[in-house]
């Protein structure tokens, strides 16, 4: 009989091996699903995970997709370590895009040196406002942040739809639900000319590094970790839970808002009714795949970005439905959480039946 | 009761259980005769719980033979143990506070048929064995002693032949304990053997006819406890000569008070907690005040109100070293010179999944430059943890070991050391040696007394009367959230204290 036995202490090996195992199991399971659908599993997985990288602009597309995932995943890894379950980063992303993008649309003639920093600030502030409301509801009314943050994500989405189909709709846009294009000054600065590699691609790893230092090396980060692992011990130490909840929601919300602003000014160039293909939810998987470590989030973000590219490729080349990306991500999260049991337990064969005498 | 088969009721030989990294039971033998009250003695971690769990079917042994009532058996689960006639009263009760006594007992029964006439059976058993219970009372109104009676009656309904009692008197007043002993003797006389686990050697001497003593997972001795002194029993348990703590010289009351409570009144944040009412006291530098009381009479609320986890309404209700502190949080109270050791180690005084170095930081972050400009100085933090480990003889692999890898006694030594080494002006400690073996308890007592000798004011909250008497210069009793007037330790007897603890608890509305 297979049995789990407690190890007594967390295994350092499985800390890193568990995500790899989860990834392998995801590949096998996805392959089985493809086989059942009558597709060659090997070629399909190849199209999903390898082929996108071999294309001409493969790497560029990858980092552009990964940047918002990493920015949001980094903030989430901090919040989740403190047991603050912000599920609504998608809404914070959107509100950041609305606020920052709104500033850009309001001043089409402003010079870039003044306008873009202001847009960045407005984007971060929008995300922080969205996260702050959630924090306030939790602290003031003890409202569960999982529910409130998720509900705000829907509210924000409808706000966006209303804006781009109503007051902010481009009068010259032939009635399409979208705003005017941002002025050149309101575009994210490019790190490499003539490409989509924008400012966000540099900010994402910097944010990861900064939050890693904060979480692992500072007293503030220690407070988050204690709160997440033993809330009573945090009270005993005198760490103020309400303050930590505020900080966690403001940072994760602010980074999501920044990601939203960078996404609309870096790749889309205008506001439309669909800004995020579920980035906020994918970022949850990114945070867990990265073991809730801000540094681990970087490779995790790249991998999940690849599933988006692979999903597109599979749709175009193999005629698979676009839902394949969501399925793949869902299976991955399932195995990730499942494989974590190996951290504190080992698998043992045990004989059933009477105890030997 | 008569038995067709002569011979012992329970005979276990070669019981072995291996846990990862720990051989909890190594070929342990245990024989319980019929009509016998049998003591199982040993330090924490000696393997008593593992052995008992194997008898009750909670844990499967890796090897060993169990002969029950003359037949070889394998006890697969507690349900089977109950069918065989084995009952167990755990140290921590499993009762629903919002249900009545009868409802709680009914929940433990297997089938609807067993519920027929339950009330009457509860009443019959409770009168027959001197276990007064009212079936319709709601549990949260009951004292701990009454709750324990529910658990015992629940077991007796199954007509057990063996009743296992795990540390039953740790929560009882002396009077309640005496009543319990009467019940147990009566049960034994009528054919139900008792396996009695306790740390209290005096009790074991009075109650038990035979004792099996365990150490480090093995049998070390079997004896008649009445023929040994408490000291001899303790020495067999820990395999060392016990040195008694040095008697404390009587204090002259001239030192200035360092901890003052002035009519402290606090509402408990917990639904069934105890509110604190008008608690006043004063502890001078160099003095130890002991607060005795039965669990659940406001000790935890008092601890939290003193550490700052619950804030008092007015700043002037609590004075730390001459500074009003009722409105200050734990952090500010530490800056004012206070140090605190709560009762619960796991998840309150320590984060079990963090290393000892990180746990040293938990209350020590304000001291000794462990944190500078918001950055943790890892070197100094590890050095601080190592100093605690060496000064307080904490058995561990080092400062990077996770707190959960330590035994209860070693973790408690670490937590006491963490606070004592911060050189507090006022130390407040709740249940200093709860679940801690005799050796560690002695070390902790000595550390507390040494701190007082250096001039700190110490407040010890403990349910262990012996401990209060050993440590304190002055004693008081907390009951129903009120504190009796502190009196010098020499002027009261254990019986006086017991009456205060029990009487006041029952008078509480």
């Amino acid at each position: 009989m297979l049995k789990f036995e407690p190890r007594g202490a967390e295994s350092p090996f499985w800390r890193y091996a568990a995500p790899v195992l989860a990834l392998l199991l995801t590949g096998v399971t996805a392959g089985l699903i493809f086989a059942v659908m009558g597709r060659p599993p090997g070629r399909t997985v190849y199209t999903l995970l390898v082929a996108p990288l071999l294309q001409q602009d493969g790497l560029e597309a990858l980092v552009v997709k990964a940047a918002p995932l990493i920015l949001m995943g980094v903030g989430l890894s901090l919040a989740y370590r403190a047991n603050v379950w912000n599920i609504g980063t998608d809404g914070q992303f959107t509100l950041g895009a609305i606020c920052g993008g709104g500033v850009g649309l309001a001043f089409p003639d402003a010079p870039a040196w003044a306008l873009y920093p202001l847009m960045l600030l407005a984007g971060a502030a929008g995300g922080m406002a969205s996260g702050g409301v959630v924090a306030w509801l939790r602290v003031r009314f003890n409202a569960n942040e999982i529910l409130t943050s998720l509900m705000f994500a829907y509210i924000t989405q409808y706000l966006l739809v209303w804006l781009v189909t109503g007051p902010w709709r481009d009068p010259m846009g032939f009635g399409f639900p979208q705003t005017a294009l941002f002025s050149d000054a309101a575009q994210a600065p490019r790190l490499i000319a003539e490409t989509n590699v924008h400012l966000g691609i540099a900010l994402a790893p910097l944010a990861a590094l900064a939050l890693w230092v904060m979480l692992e090396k500072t007293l503030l980060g220690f407070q988050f970790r204690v709160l997440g692992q033993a809330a009573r011990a945090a009270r005993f130490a005198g760490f103020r839970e309400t303050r930590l909840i505020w900080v966690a929601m403001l940072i994760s919300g602010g980074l999501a808002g920044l990601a939203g602003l960078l996404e609309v000014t870096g790749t889309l160039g205008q506001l439309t009714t669909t800004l995020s293909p579920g980035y906020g939810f994918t970022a949850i998987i990114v945070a867990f795949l990265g073991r809730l470590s801000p540094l681990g989030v970087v490779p995790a973000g790249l991998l999940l970005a690849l599933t988006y590219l692979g999903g597109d490729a599979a749709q175009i080349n193999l005629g698979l439905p676009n839902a394949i990306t969501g399925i793949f991500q869902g299976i991955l999260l399932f195995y990730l959480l499942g494989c974590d049991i190996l951290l504190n337990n080992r698998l043992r064969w045990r004989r059933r039946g009477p105890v030997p005498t | 009761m008569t038995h067709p088969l002569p011979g012992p009721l329970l005979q276990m030989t070669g019981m072995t259980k291996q846990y990862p990294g720990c051989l909890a039971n190594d070929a342990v033998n245990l024989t319980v005769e019929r009509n016998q009250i049998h003591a199982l003695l040993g330090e924490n971690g000696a393997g008593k719980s593992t052995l008992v769990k194997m008898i009750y079917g909670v844990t499967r042994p890796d090897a060993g033979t169990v002969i029950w009532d003359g037949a070889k058996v394998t006890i697969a689960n507690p349900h089977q143990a109950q069918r065989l006639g084995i009952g167990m009263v755990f140290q921590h009760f499993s009762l629903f506070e919002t249900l009545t006594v009868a409802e709680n007992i009914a929940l433990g029964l297997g089938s609807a048929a067993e519920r027929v006439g339950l009330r009457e059976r509860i009443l019959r058993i409770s009168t027959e064995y001197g276990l007064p219970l009212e079936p319709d009372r709601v549990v949260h109104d009951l004292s701990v002693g009454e709750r324990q009676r529910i658990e015992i009656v629940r077991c007796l309904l199954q007509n057990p032949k063996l009743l296992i009692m795990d540390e039953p008197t740790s929560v009882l007043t002396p009077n309640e304990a005496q009543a319990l002993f009467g019940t147990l003797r009566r049960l034994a006389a009528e054919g139900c053997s008792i396996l009695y686990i306790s740390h209290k050697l005096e009790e074991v001497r009075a109650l038990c006819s035979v004792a099996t003593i365990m150490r480090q997972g093995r049998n070390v001795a079997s004896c008649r406890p009445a023929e040994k002194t408490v000291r001899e029993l303790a020495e067999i348990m820990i395999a060392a000569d016990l040195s008694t703590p040095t008697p404390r010289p009587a204090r002259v009351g001239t030192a200035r008070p360092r901890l003052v409570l002035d009519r402290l009144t606090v509402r408990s944040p917990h639904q069934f907690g105890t509110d604190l009412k008008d608690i006043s006291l004063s502890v001078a530098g160099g003095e130890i005040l002991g607060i005795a009381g039965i669990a659940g009479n406001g000790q935890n609320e008092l601890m939290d109100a003193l550490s700052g986890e619950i804030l008092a309404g007015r700043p002037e209700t609590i004075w730390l070293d001459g500074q009003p502190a009722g409105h200050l949080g734990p952090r500010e109270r530490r800056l004012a010179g206070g140090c605190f050791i709560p009762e619960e180690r796991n998840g309150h005084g320590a984060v079990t999944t963090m290393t000892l170095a990180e746990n040293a930081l938990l209350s020590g972050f304000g001291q000794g430059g462990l944190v500078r400009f918001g950055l943790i100085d890892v070197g100094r933090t590890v050095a601080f943890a190592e100093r605690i480990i060496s000064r307080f003889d904490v058995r561990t692999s080092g400062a990077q070991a996770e707190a959960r890898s330590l035994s209860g006694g070693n973790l408690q030594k670490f937590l006491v050391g963490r606070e004592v080494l911060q050189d507090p002006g006022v130390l407040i400690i709740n249940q200093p040696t709860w679940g801690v073996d005799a050796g560690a308890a002695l070390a902790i007592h000595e550390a507390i007394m040494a701190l007082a000798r250096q001039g700190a004011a110490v407040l010890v909250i403990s349910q262990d009367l012996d401990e209060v008497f050993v440590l304190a210069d002055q004693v008081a009793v907390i009951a129903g959230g009120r504190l009796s007037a502190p009196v010098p330790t020499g002027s009261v007897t254990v019986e006086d204290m017991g009456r205060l603890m029990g009487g006041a608890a029952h008078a509480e509305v």
Side-chain angles (χ1 to χ4, degrees):
Chain A
M1 179 174 49
L2 267 180
K3 264 202 109 166
F4 282 110
E5 254 185 22
R7 284 180 202 277
E10 201 176 278
S11 153
F13 171 73
W14 282 105
R15 203 176 142 68
Y16 299 100
V20 177
L21 178 65
L23 209 56
L24 286 175
L25 289 171
T26 307
V28 171
T29 309
L32 282 174
I33 292 175
F34 297 142
V36 170
M37 290 169 76
R39 317 273 171 169
R43 206 183 122 222
T44 316
V45 172
Y46 175 84
T47 311
L48 260 175
L49 295 182
V50 184
L53 290 177
L54 302 178
Q55 281 179 333
Q56 200 189 349
D57 302 329
L59 280 177
E60 179 191 331
L62 185 73
V63 291
V64 169
K65 276 273 186 229
L69 292 176
I70 293 171
L71 273 173
M72 284 190 279
V74 164
L76 287 183
S77 66
L78 172 81
Y80 293 173
R81 286 282 280 274
N83 267 357
V84 175
W85 299 103
N86 180 6
I87 302 295
T89 33
D90 220 45
Q92 292 140 22
F93 175 95
T94 305
L95 198 63
I98 291 173
C99 293
V103 170
L105 292 169
F107 305 105
D109 302 322
W113 62 264
L115 184 61
Y116 201 73
L118 194 64
M119 290 172 70
L120 282 176
L121 284 179
M128 286 166 97
S130 181
V133 175
V134 173
W136 180 74
L137 290 170
R138 161 84 190 267
V139 167
R140 178 72 183 76
F141 301 105
N142 200 22
N144 186 319
E145 74 275 14
I146 298 178
L147 296 177
T148 53
S149 65
L150 185 61
M151 290 193 286
F152 272 108
Y154 293 117
I155 294 173
T156 318
Q157 175 60 29
Y158 287 117
L159 174 70
L160 173 72
V161 171
W162 176 69
L163 285 172
V164 299
T165 55
W168 288 10
R169 172 148 56 180
D170 181 10
M172 322 291 274
F174 308 103
F176 282 107
Q178 58 195 30
T179 64
L181 289 171
F182 295 130
S183 67
D184 283 349
Q187 302 282 352
R190 307 287 139 162
L191 301 178
I192 304 169
E194 307 299 316
T195 66
N196 262 337
V197 181
H198 58 79
L199 182 64
I201 283 105
L203 285 184
L206 285 179
L209 189 64
L211 257 73
W212 178 79
V213 170
M214 193 268 250
L215 200 52
E216 302 294 337
K217 305 285 174 198
T218 69
L219 184 62
L220 182 64
F222 179 68
Q223 297 187 17
F224 281 112
R225 288 187 284 135
V226 171
L227 179 67
Q229 291 178 45
R232 256 200 106 186
R235 281 199 291 281
F236 164 73
F239 303 152
R240 279 170 44 212
E241 188 179 7
T242 52
R243 181 171 151 249
L244 293 175
I245 291 171
W246 271 106
V247 175
M249 282 308 301
L250 290 179
I251 289 182
S252 60
L255 284 172
L258 204 57
L261 182 272
L262 287 163
E263 183 68 10
V264 289
T265 57
T267 59
L268 301 175
Q270 64 188 152
L271 296 178
T272 66
T273 52
T274 49
L275 299 181
S276 152
Y279 281 149
F281 301 103
T282 306
I284 297 171
I285 307 176
V286 169
F288 277 105
L289 182 62
R291 293 245 74 102
L292 300 186
S293 158
L295 287 186
V297 160
V298 176
L302 289 168
L303 181 74
L304 268 292
L306 183 59
T307 65
Y308 275 114
L309 300 182
D312 288 346
Q315 199 178 0
I316 295 162
N317 300 333
L318 305 173
L320 279 165
N322 197 27
I324 212 74
T325 308
I327 291 173
F328 198 84
Q329 292 179 356
I331 298 172
L332 181 59
L333 183 62
F334 172 82
Y335 280 121
L336 270 176
L337 298 178
C339 286
D340 270 0
I341 196 174
L342 291 167
L343 281 183
N344 284 308
N345 295 276
R346 65 166 63 90
L347 211 49
R348 273 273 176 86
W349 270 110
R350 283 243 306 239
R351 273 204 305 141
R352 221 193 191 116
V355 177
T357 48
Chain B
M1 269 184 239
T2 52
H3 289 278
L5 292 163
L9 176 67
L10 172 70
Q11 194 169 20
M12 302 175 92
T13 38
M15 302 304 288
T16 299
K17 178 72 191 176
Q18 170 86 50
Y19 285 116
C22 164
L23 188 55
N25 270 201
D26 184 5
V28 174
N29 302 328
L30 174 74
T31 303
V32 180
E33 300 289 344
R34 298 173 200 278
N35 300 46
Q36 188 180 58
I37 305 185
H38 190 118
L40 188 56
L41 293 176
E43 288 192 290
N44 275 72
K48 292 171 304 194
S49 310
T50 306
L51 183 63
V52 165
K53 280 185 190 160
M54 291 192 289
I55 302 175
Y56 198 55
V58 178
T59 302
R60 288 271 204 106
D62 296 333
T65 319
V66 181
I67 298 185
W68 170 258
D69 222 356
K72 196 172 143 200
V73 290
T74 306
I75 303 170
N77 52 51
H79 194 66
Q80 193 194 344
Q82 285 165 14
R83 275 205 311 266
L84 289 172
I86 301 172
M88 177 154 181
V89 176
F90 288 91
Q91 199 176 352
H92 300 284
F93 310 142
S94 40
L95 297 170
F96 292 94
E97 299 224 326
T98 50
L99 299 183
T100 65
V101 172
E103 285 166 341
N104 264 291
I105 293 176
L107 275 173
L109 298 176
S111 66
E114 293 179 61
R115 286 204 288 276
V116 177
L118 182 64
R119 263 185 64 93
E120 288 66 36
R121 278 189 292 151
I122 293 173
L123 285 173
R124 186 171 52 74
I125 287 179
S126 73
T127 44
E128 211 169 294
Y129 293 100
L131 298 161
L133 269 186
E134 294 167 49
D136 298 323
R137 293 270 308 272
V138 177
V139 167
H140 77 76
D141 291 335
L142 302 183
S143 74
V144 188
E146 288 171 300
R147 293 176 193 213
Q148 187 180 54
R149 280 179 230 147
I150 304 175
E151 295 278 8
I152 297 174
V153 168
R154 184 189 262 178
C155 285
L156 293 186
L157 278 169
Q158 319 257 3
N159 297 318
K161 292 180 200 155
L162 174 68
L163 187 61
I164 306 170
M165 306 280 300
D166 189 6
E167 303 260 353
T169 57
S170 58
V171 293
L172 300 183
T173 64
N175 292 341
E176 284 176 322
Q178 285 307 324
L180 175 69
F181 296 161
T183 303
L184 295 181
R185 288 197 182 99
R186 171 112 191 247
L187 278 168
E190 292 185 9
C192 176
S193 301
I194 314 278
L195 185 59
Y196 191 86
I197 304 166
S198 179
H199 276 132
K200 299 191 179 174
L201 302 174
E202 200 59 73
E203 275 175 22
V204 166
R205 285 188 66 238
L207 185 69
C208 305
S209 52
V210 176
T212 296
I213 304 177
M214 295 180 68
R215 188 168 68 227
Q216 290 172 351
R218 299 209 182 100
N219 293 100
V220 286
S222 196
C223 64
R224 301 193 157 272
E227 293 166 4
K228 303 261 181 205
T229 64
V230 165
R231 200 193 178 85
E232 284 168 337
L233 288 173
E235 281 170 0
I236 303 174
M237 261 167 64
I238 68 170
D241 293 337
L242 271 184
S243 58
T244 31
T246 18
R248 296 169 44 69
R251 298 282 320 168
V252 217
T254 49
R256 131 192 103 82
R258 301 191 81 166
L259 170 69
V260 176
L261 300 191
D262 180 22
R263 284 162 292 153
L264 174 70
T265 299
V266 172
R267 276 193 72 83
S268 172
H270 310 291
Q271 198 187 352
F272 298 117
T274 308
D275 301 339
L276 302 178
K277 293 157 201 138
D278 272 334
I279 292 188
S280 297
L281 57 82
S282 166
V283 191
E287 193 177 54
I288 302 178
L289 172 65
I291 295 183
I294 307 157
N297 273 286
Q299 287 96 330
N300 291 336
E301 285 81 2
L302 180 60
M303 184 69 208
D304 288 353
L306 287 169
S307 71
E309 288 175 61
I310 311 176
L311 295 186
R314 289 183 305 124
E316 296 80 20
T317 49
I318 299 175
W319 296 78
L320 281 175
D321 250 345
Q323 187 182 339
H327 60 303
L328 299 180
R331 211 167 165 160
E332 292 78 23
R333 290 191 196 191
R334 284 199 194 97
L335 289 176
C339 273
F340 314 96
I341 306 168
E343 170 183 1
E344 178 64 59
R345 292 181 279 275
N346 302 330
H348 192 192
V351 184
T352 48
T353 47
M354 284 188 165
T355 66
L356 291 181
E358 286 172 307
N359 273 294
L361 194 62
L362 189 64
S363 77
F365 62 86
Q367 312 253 344
L370 298 187
V371 175
R372 279 175 301 175
F373 308 111
L375 280 173
I376 298 166
D377 187 327
V378 178
R380 286 191 191 201
T381 305
V382 169
F384 177 46
E386 280 169 353
R387 216 164 73 236
I388 301 169
I389 291 167
S390 70
R391 282 275 293 280
F392 288 83
D393 187 28
V394 179
R395 312 278 165 77
T396 171
S397 57
Q400 297 301 338
E402 283 185 15
R404 62 176 161 177
S405 69
L406 271 62
S407 71
N410 275 310
L411 185 55
Q412 184 72 358
K413 280 198 277 186
F414 184 82
L415 298 185
V416 170
R418 177 180 75 187
E419 307 303 324
V420 166
L421 286 188
Q422 292 180 44
D423 199 15
V426 175
L427 178 74
I428 291 150
I429 179 164
N430 189 8
Q431 295 281 49
T433 56
W434 175 257
V436 158
D437 59 69
L442 189 69
I444 289 166
H445 286 170
E446 278 179 345
I448 292 172
M449 290 196 253
L451 189 71
R453 273 198 298 278
Q454 287 164 28
V458 180
L459 182 71
V460 176
I461 305 169
S462 176
Q463 289 158 43
D464 184 344
L465 262 185
D466 296 338
E467 176 169 80
V468 170
F469 276 95
V470 166
L471 288 175
D473 305 297
Q474 302 221 59
V475 289
V477 170
I478 189 167
R482 291 179 192 278
L483 191 71
S484 71
V487 290
T489 309
S491 68
V492 283
T493 63
V494 173
E495 286 69 31
D496 293 336
M497 299 283 284
R499 265 193 296 281
L500 271 175
M501 285 158 67
H506 288 298
E508 158 66 5
V509 188

